[in-house]
Structures are given as structure tokens and as C-alpha cells.
Amino acid sequence: VGNWFITLRNPLEILRDEPTFLGCELVFYAMALLCLVHALREKGRFRWLWVTTVTHGLMTECVSYWYPEIDNFWHGQSMVMVWGWREPLHIIMLYPGFMYAANVAVARMNVSENCMPFCSALLDCLIDVPFDIIGIKFLWWSWHDTDSNIYERTYWVPWCSYIFHMTFATAFTFLLTRSRRYFTGLSGTFSEDQIEAMPFTRKKLASNWRGELKALVLTSLCSFPLGCVLFGIFYHLPHDVFHVSSEACTWFYAGLCLVVCVYGLLHRAPHNMREHGEREIQRGYQRRGRGYWRPDEVWIAVVIHFVFYMLVVLFADPAAVRATGVHQEVAHDGHPKFSCLEVSALEYPYSLIPGAPTRQLAGFYNQSDYLQRKTPFKSRIQPNGDLLVWKSPYLCLESDDPDLLYDEAYLDFECLSPEEKPEPGSWWYVQCGNSYETHSSHAEYVLVVVGVCVLGCAVWTSFLCHPRTLIQVLCSGELPRIYKHKAQQGELSAILDRRVSPSSGVEQYLVVRETGSEPEWVDKEQLVTDGAGPVYAERGGLYGEHSAAGSTRERLRLWRAGQDVQRRQMLWEGRQRELAAEAAGPEATDQLRPDGEPRPQASRSYNLRARSKRL
């Protein structure tokens, strides 16, 4: 039910025909929600990072459907579909689930700014591999049958899909880090605790919400074009001009990312989250006040993702899948309108390759018996020397020429009766899944998917839980945890009074914050939040514009010292008045109160009446 913009589907129907697809949707929602919880708890720049990944995903998915040369896949129908039954909502949640987690992991490893994009690209690709392999096998989506860009595949996954994820993750992280440095003056992803421990000037840079908003807009709008540029350089240029296979292009870029990532890891000291929390506890809250341990939501999201695909490949049957939804339009040979011989021209990226390389490329494709035999890939040299490439827009189901028939072994139509099979021009129909044996074997799929998932868990755990490994985490039997401080709610503008709490017996201060709130009594340990130095106020702390050191601990000490000075001054002045009165005689002494203050003088009329009465 719904309209063109949004459509809802009964989850019980999905559970009956595509149970693994429903599981994938729920896992993506859970990953995005866990990452959102992590961002809201960490606060600071993590909240901006989560929102930026969502906007980047919206931009990428929209352009993928608007541009015909990129529109070469069709998703299954999930519980929530948008944009004319083409975009599942959980695919948009993929971006915060994958890219947010990758950027958090890279931030914890503390690699340099130049190495961060390549490290996040590797992690993004690693978490995507089981999703791509299982997704196409269980018909969570289907690929275009005759698109030359996705012709070279492994386990029916195009090699260019992996390099797509790596190049776009590189572009996203690169633009985010650089735009933050340009608009705010400070790069990096910092939590509220880290910002609180910064010196005053760095804190103001890290808390610049206007600069963060500009970085969000720039990254969301420009990460897709920059990703296309990287994709063209590392895939289309070697593949289309120099005839390098898609597999070689993918491994080359993955190797490049790996070299840069290893270099970054060897030249930086990663953050030890567990040691940091234990050190805070051992110091008895002397620096940051009382805190608490909480589970690492990002690690939990990643593990849920990998465990789900291991369960799917072990126990689910792809032959039982019945995928109903939008697919590639169907054609029959000889049909007057939807014919298997019909082709459509491709402009990107071939129109960008003019001159002599174009003729060489056209000659390569025309003379290649392998390509001509396996796919209706066609090319022609234009009079101006440019290359014109085209592909068939339809999925050919019936033809006397076997070379025109569809070549997608992960699907067929054997589960349908003759009346249920799609007619020419149909774009909404049912596809039937195939068993593992139609391509390789179940054992091979188990070996590949489980192996990649175990490797992914190990690598992601090493990044998120350094220096612990996956084996150490499993043997400990405890979830990885993060120590979180109870941060203050704004800088202090004034300290008014001090007391001992009548209920808890804790030393408290009456303070006013710069947020304009009413004065409140706050425990001392919640105010003393000095930051990163071995001695309080040596480096970090709630640096501000107050006093030399600027930390809250130092401000409280100076306030107490000032109060003591005022009390000593009052006592000294009272004692001086007592001494002056004693020197003046007994009558002057009687005019002083016990605390040394002079007694109030009566009026002149009262004194005259009292004197006359005595006489």
C-alpha cells in the first residue's frame, strides 16, 4: 500500500517468500540504530558524522536511479520502499551502518589525516563482501544482464561493485576531514569528552556547529562526484582504455589502500579504550569526575552483521526464494515492441574517451570473440572518431539465438507456471532462486562467506578494541566497553557559594553556567573535570577565559582562597576596631558589640531625653 513516494509491504509476506531478505532489512535497521545510539552518547562530532552518512547515502542512491548508465540493478521489495518501488529504506540505513562504523574505527586507530580515507575504504569493502555475495544469491536484488561494466563477476558479484565501495568511501572520508579542517580549522572526529579536555581555543574550533553544517553539506553534495572521478581513474581508465580486467583493477586499488593503511598504522599510536577507562578509575575520579562503563555499540553492530551472514549461508536455502517486485523489463525475440535485438546507447564513460584510444577500444570490443559470444555488447566508431557503445535494455527470455538469452544463473523462472511467467514488457514479476550447485557448491559458499566474516570480525575488532584481538574478546566472555564521563552542561560563569550537602554530606558549590540557567548546587566531583595531563591543569581540563590555568579545579581553588581572604580581612578589621576602642577607654569599649563591630548610635533627641531623666 502507498504511492509513488513511499510504499509499505506486509512483513509476513516477505517472511513467507524471502525470509533472509527480511532478516537483512532488520539487521540494517539495528546497525543504524546502534550507531545512532553511539553517536548520541558520544555527542560532539559523532552526531554530525552519523547525519552526514545518511545524507551521503540519499545523494548516492538518488543519482544511481536518475542516471541511466548507472541504473543497472533492481532491489527487492522491503517493508518500506521509496521512489517508485525502487529504493528500500534499509539500503539508506546501510550507509550509517557501514560508513559511520568505518570512520569510528579509523578514528580510534588514530591514523594520520591523509591515511584515514584509505583505511575507511578497506573496512567498508570488508564489511560489504558477505552482503554482496549473499544478497545476489538470495535475490535481494538483481543485476543488469548485458551491462559491460558489471560483466566480470565472482559469485555473480561484479568486481566493480567492490571498487565502487572503496572509491566512494575514500571520497567521503577525504571530503569530510578536509572540509572540517577548512570550515572549522580542526580536523578529526571528537567526542564530548575529548572536546571537554581540549584547551579553550581548540574547544571552540571543535564546537563550531556552523562549520560542521557547512562540512555536512559539502560532503553530501560532492562525495558522489569525487567518488565517480576516483572510480573513473582506477577502473574505467585501465579497464576501457588498456583492457585491464575488472578483477585486476579491484585488487590494485585494494592493495593501494592496504599499503597506505599499514603505513598509517605503523606511524601512529592507537587509542586504548579499555586502558583509558581503567586509568580514570584508578585515579579515583581526580581528573574527570565520576563516570560509567557502557557497551561499545559500534562493535556490537558489526558483529551482528557478520554473524547474520554466517547463519544465512549455513542454514538458508536460496532455491526456496520467490522474489516479487521491480526487475529488468522482459523481452522476446521477434516481439514488435520489446525485442531482444533492441539496444540503447551508453554515454558514460565512453563519451569521455575521444581520439585514437577510442578507435583502439572499439576495435578491441569488435574483435573480441569472447565478449561477442557471451554478451550482446556492441560498439561503433562515429564519423568524428568517438566511440558509441550500447547494450540491450531488456532481459531476453525467449530467442532462437542462444547468445541473446539472459545469462544470470542465480535466477530462473522454473517455479512458475506458464501462465505466471512474465510477458514481454513486464517489469513487475516473480523471480525464482536457484540452489548453490547451479554455480559452484554449498560447501564453497560456506567456506568463502564464513571465512570472510571471521576475517572481518577479527579486523574490525582489532580496530575498535585495540590492543585486544577477537580471540581475547571471546575468551574474556565480556562485551567491549567504553568509559564515559558525565560531562558538564556548559562552562561556568560564576561560583556563588559552598556548602556540605545535608543529604549526602558531599561538598557542593552553587554555580551559574554560561547557558543562562538558574544557579544550581553541584557536587565538587562533577565540577572537577581536568583533562589529559598527569597533573591537574597541566594540559587539558575545562580551559576557559578565567584565571591563568583556566581549569575548573583551579577556579574552585582560587574561589575558596578568595573567600578565605575575605573572612580573614573581616576578622582583622574587627580586631583593629577592638584595639582602638580599648585605647580610647571603657566607654568606647562599651560601644562595641561582641564581634568588634560598633554599636548603632541612638538619635540626638533620644540622648537628650535620657540625660534629662537621669538628672
Side-chain angles (χ1 to χ4, degrees):
V1 294
N3 49 36
W4 179 91
F5 180 74
I6 185 170
T7 306
L8 304 179
R9 186 184 181 189
N10 188 354
L12 297 179
E13 179 184 347
I14 307 176
L15 182 63
R16 182 191 67 229
D17 297 334
E18 305 170 82
T20 58
F21 185 54
L22 179 62
C24 169
E25 184 177 4
L26 297 178
V27 165
F28 279 164
Y29 289 148
M31 292 180 67
L33 180 60
L34 287 170
C35 291
L36 177 61
V37 171
H38 177 271
L40 295 178
R41 285 187 175 182
E42 291 293 321
K43 299 182 180 179
R45 288 187 167 181
F46 284 90
R47 292 176 294 184
W48 290 100
L49 173 61
W50 193 91
V51 176
T52 307
T53 57
V54 174
T55 55
H56 164 74
L58 289 172
M59 178 68 178
T60 303
E61 295 298 320
C62 287
V63 176
S64 298
Y65 297 121
W66 290 342
Y67 207 71
E69 279 71 13
I70 307 177
D71 186 14
N72 52 19
F73 57 92
W74 293 266
H75 283 291
Q77 300 296 303
S78 64
M79 289 188 292
V80 183
M81 298 293 297
V82 296
W83 305 330
W85 308 281
R86 291 297 306 273
E87 178 66 21
L89 181 61
H90 73 274
I91 295 299
I92 299 176
M93 296 296 102
L94 173 148
Y95 290 88
F98 286 9
M99 305 187 81
Y100 177 89
N103 281 270
V104 170
V106 172
R108 291 186 186 177
M109 293 307 290
N110 195 30
V111 297
S112 65
E113 183 178 338
N114 294 328
C115 299
M116 290 179 65
F118 299 95
C119 294
S120 63
L122 281 180
L123 292 178
D124 188 89
C125 181
L126 185 58
I127 200 174
D128 172 71
V129 170
F131 169 64
D132 275 355
I133 295 177
I134 294 297
I136 189 61
K137 186 60 185 175
F138 283 81
L139 297 180
W140 297 349
W141 67 85
S142 58
W143 293 105
H144 195 287
D145 183 47
T146 59
D147 193 327
S148 61
N149 290 322
I150 59 175
Y151 183 72
E152 297 175 82
R153 310 184 191 183
T154 174
Y155 297 101
W156 296 106
V157 180
W159 281 102
C160 65
S161 174
Y162 299 131
I163 194 172
F164 165 84
H165 279 274
M166 289 188 288
T167 52
F168 276 68
T170 303
F172 174 83
T173 306
F174 174 82
L175 279 178
L176 183 62
T177 54
R178 296 297 179 177
S179 59
R180 277 176 169 171
R181 180 171 294 280
Y182 180 79
F183 291 118
T184 68
L186 184 64
S187 181
T189 304
F190 307 109
S191 65
E192 185 183 37
D193 289 346
Q194 293 171 319
I195 295 176
E196 184 180 305
M198 291 178 178
F200 179 72
T201 54
R202 288 176 60 87
K203 181 189 299 184
K204 291 301 181 183
L205 296 178
S207 305
N208 183 0
W209 68 269
R210 292 181 178 85
E212 288 291 333
L213 181 60
K214 295 176 183 178
L216 183 151
V217 174
L218 179 65
T219 304
S220 302
L221 296 179
C222 299
S223 56
F224 186 89
L226 181 58
C228 291
V229 171
L230 293 176
F231 190 79
I233 294 174
F234 290 97
Y235 175 74
H236 284 301
L237 180 63
H239 178 266
D240 297 337
V241 177
F242 301 103
H243 321 313
V244 179
S245 66
S246 300
E247 180 179 1
C249 297
T250 303
W251 283 114
F252 173 79
Y253 191 77
L256 175 64
C257 293
L258 180 61
V259 170
V260 178
C261 185
V262 170
Y263 174 84
L265 295 176
L266 293 178
H267 288 76
R268 286 298 179 98
H271 295 298
N272 190 330
M273 306 298 293
R274 183 176 182 179
E275 179 183 346
H276 171 75
E278 292 175 349
R279 185 171 61 248
E280 292 291 333
I281 294 177
Q282 291 171 1
R283 292 180 178 178
Y285 316 118
Q286 293 180 4
R287 298 194 307 143
R288 303 296 298 274
R290 188 177 301 277
Y292 60 95
W293 287 99
R294 63 177 179 83
D296 186 0
E297 298 89 356
V298 176
W299 184 85
I300 296 175
V302 171
V303 170
I304 289 176
H305 172 82
F306 285 117
V307 170
F308 170 73
Y309 290 99
M310 287 191 285
L311 295 176
V312 169
V313 75
L314 288 172
F315 302 107
D317 182 16
V321 174
R322 302 293 182 268
T324 304
V326 178
H327 305 291
Q328 187 177 359
E329 284 188 285
V330 173
H332 288 178
D333 194 8
H335 193 274
K337 185 176 180 181
F338 302 99
S339 173
C340 296
L341 298 176
E342 186 173 346
V343 294
S344 60
L346 292 177
E347 297 180 0
Y348 172 81
Y350 306 100
S351 59
L352 306 179
I353 311 176
T358 304
R359 294 186 174 86
Q360 182 183 5
L361 178 61
F364 168 78
Y365 284 125
N366 285 331
Q367 296 173 8
S368 175
D369 296 337
Y370 179 79
L371 287 176
Q372 292 295 330
R373 183 174 64 256
K374 291 294 183 180
T375 178
F377 185 87
K378 306 293 183 180
S379 62
R380 180 175 70 247
I381 300 176
Q382 298 289 80
N384 61 355
D386 291 342
L387 173 67
L388 178 65
V389 182
W390 64 90
K391 64 182 179 182
S392 175
Y394 304 120
L395 186 71
C396 185
L397 297 187
E398 295 182 5
S399 176
D400 296 333
D401 186 357
D403 292 337
L404 296 179
L405 293 176
Y406 75 95
D407 183 21
E408 305 289 330
Y410 55 87
L411 64 89
D412 59 27
F413 301 91
E414 299 299 328
C415 65
L416 304 177
S417 62
E419 295 78 13
E420 295 174 331
K421 290 185 178 181
E423 297 294 330
S426 301
W427 51 270
W428 183 282
Y429 53 88
V430 179
Q431 292 179 345
C432 308
N434 279 330
S435 64
Y436 290 107
E437 281 67 20
T438 57
H439 176 68
S440 55
S441 66
H442 187 199
E444 184 175 345
Y445 268 88
V446 170
L447 178 64
V448 172
V449 175
V450 173
V452 171
C453 290
V454 172
L455 175 63
C457 285
V459 173
W460 276 84
T461 302
S462 299
F463 271 70
L464 293 171
C465 308
H466 178 84
R468 289 171 295 168
T469 62
L470 178 62
I471 296 178
Q472 292 174 330
V473 172
L474 294 178
C475 293
S476 66
E478 297 180 355
L479 292 175
R481 298 183 299 170
I482 301 175
Y483 191 77
K484 176 68 176 175
H485 300 284
K486 295 181 179 178
Q488 295 199 51
Q489 304 298 321
E491 292 276 0
L492 301 184
S493 61
I495 304 172
L496 304 180
D497 199 0
R498 179 177 63 167
R499 73 175 185 181
V500 175
S501 173
S503 58
S504 61
V506 177
E507 184 179 2
Q508 293 181 330
Y509 288 84
L510 182 64
V511 298
V512 179
R513 302 189 184 276
E514 293 181 352
T515 55
S517 59
E518 295 294 328
E520 58 177 341
W521 289 99
V522 183
D523 294 347
K524 177 184 177 181
E525 69 175 18
Q526 296 299 322
L527 295 174
V528 180
T529 56
D530 294 302
V535 180
Y536 74 88
E538 177 185 337
R539 285 183 55 223
L542 282 179
Y543 278 81
E545 300 168 306
H546 315 280
S547 76
S551 66
T552 304
R553 183 189 294 273
E554 187 68 10
R555 291 179 61 190
L556 294 179
R557 187 190 68 79
L558 294 176
W559 184 85
R560 290 195 302 267
Q563 295 293 313
D564 293 340
V565 169
Q566 291 180 10
R567 283 193 294 269
R568 288 195 298 269
Q569 180 71 16
M570 293 173 59
L571 292 175
W572 181 82
E573 292 176 353
R575 181 58 179 167
Q576 292 300 317
R577 284 190 291 267
E578 290 180 359
L579 294 176
E582 291 176 358
E587 295 182 0
T589 305
D590 293 341
Q591 295 179 5
L592 297 178
R593 297 187 310 190
D595 58 357
E597 294 290 333
R599 297 181 184 277
Q601 298 295 326
S603 64
R604 180 177 179 83
S605 60
Y606 176 80
N607 290 337
L608 292 175
R609 287 195 301 271
R611 180 179 298 180
S612 63
K613 186 177 181 181
R614 287 197 301 271
L615 293 174

